[in-house]
Amino acid sequence: MDVTTIVKSLLPPYGAAKGSRRPLIGICVGHSRKGDSGASSLSGASEWTYNQKVAEILRLELEKNNINSVVFTKYDGTGYTGAMMWLAAQLGLLKVDFAVELHFNCADTGAARGFEFLYWRTSKKGQAIASVFQQTFKNKFPAHLSRGAKGLSKEDRGGLFVRLPSMPAVILEPFFGSNQREWDIFGNEYGQKLLGETYAEAIVESVRSLGL
């Protein structure tokens, strides 16, 4: 079933006037283009494999809060730029209120740690959403390093996801898969559930603060 069919099945009717439909969030699993599975954790799990489960947990948590979502686990298009252009077009077609892309960080050294949330530098709503995620994670994981909500420019790696869509979009980097302590926390079913629930908490607050 393609994404358009999925959204047409949502109730109340998608695209109705404000106040007569649920918010619609795009949940995008990073590295979903052909031949790209992203970075690998200490155990060898790729970003794409790990985040598919998180995306499903997040979808179910949003449904409990009367928020609709559409999950992307496969990007069409040729190369990174083509995939991001395809994804931006799909998000626009579906009139998603805002979108998030699920990732985790990795580094050459196991010392790198913490969470960060990335938005397009001129997007005020993107900044607001990223800041909500940052605060939610600071509250939930006070012992973890907050690397901040960061605005991306054209020169920054991965910036097309937050730049091309017509709606706010935020890249989620909740931990380092190369950090043993953080992977011990998040690199299991309990950690995936915890992460999905924390994402949902931040999205619910973002929907409220944006008046969606």
Side-chain angles (χ1 to χ4, degrees):
M1 183 182 294
D2 62 30
V3 291
T4 304
T5 303
I6 293 170
V7 170
K8 284 181 178 178
S9 72
L10 299 177
L11 294 174
Y14 180 76
K18 183 177 180 181
S20 64
R21 71 169 179 90
R22 295 179 176 185
L24 180 62
I25 309 302
I27 302 172
C28 308
V29 176
H31 304 284
S32 285
R33 64 187 174 91
K34 187 176 181 180
D36 178 18
S37 58
S40 295
S41 69
L42 290 172
S43 69
S46 71
E47 289 182 75
W48 184 75
T49 299
Y50 174 88
N51 279 311
Q52 286 191 79
K53 177 66 173 179
V54 177
E56 178 61 12
I57 293 168
L58 174 55
R59 183 189 70 80
L60 294 173
E61 289 298 315
L62 293 181
E63 181 64 26
K64 293 176 186 177
N65 286 277
N66 296 314
I67 296 174
N68 284 334
S69 62
V70 56
V71 179
F72 292 86
T73 60
K74 180 182 178 182
Y75 301 166
D76 286 343
T78 302
Y80 170 69
T81 299
M84 291 298 100
M85 292 176 65
W86 176 86
L87 182 59
Q90 296 303 308
L91 294 169
L93 175 67
L94 302 174
K95 299 181 181 177
V96 166
D97 289 299
F98 65 83
V100 296
E101 191 173 51
L102 279 53
H103 289 266
F104 59 72
N105 263 320
C106 273
D108 293 334
T109 171
R113 62 190 179 92
F115 52 83
E116 60 187 2
F117 306 100
L118 314 175
Y119 62 93
W120 181 240
R121 61 185 180 83
T122 61
S123 173
K124 297 299 183 184
K125 289 183 178 179
Q127 182 180 17
I129 295 166
S131 296
V132 169
F133 271 91
Q134 180 192 17
Q135 190 58 53
T136 301
F137 270 70
K138 286 174 69 174
N139 293 342
K140 200 73 166 280
F141 308 105
H144 293 210
L145 176 65
S146 174
R147 301 168 65 92
K150 300 178 180 178
L152 299 182
S153 65
K154 288 191 296 184
E155 293 74 27
D156 290 312
R157 183 171 176 266
L160 290 182
F161 175 79
V162 295
R163 180 163 69 94
L164 292 181
S166 58
M167 72 292 298
V170 176
I171 294 172
L172 312 182
E173 300 276 13
F175 64 87
F176 276 77
S178 51
N179 181 284
Q180 188 65 62
R181 179 174 178 272
E182 294 188 346
W183 186 243
D184 286 345
I185 293 170
F186 293 108
N188 50 63
E189 289 187 4
Y190 174 79
Q192 288 172 306
K193 184 173 186 294
L194 178 62
L195 192 57
E197 290 172 348
T198 306
Y199 283 163
E201 184 179 336
I203 289 174
V204 169
E205 176 57 24
S206 296
V207 164
R208 186 201 64 77
S209 64
L210 293 174
L212 299 176

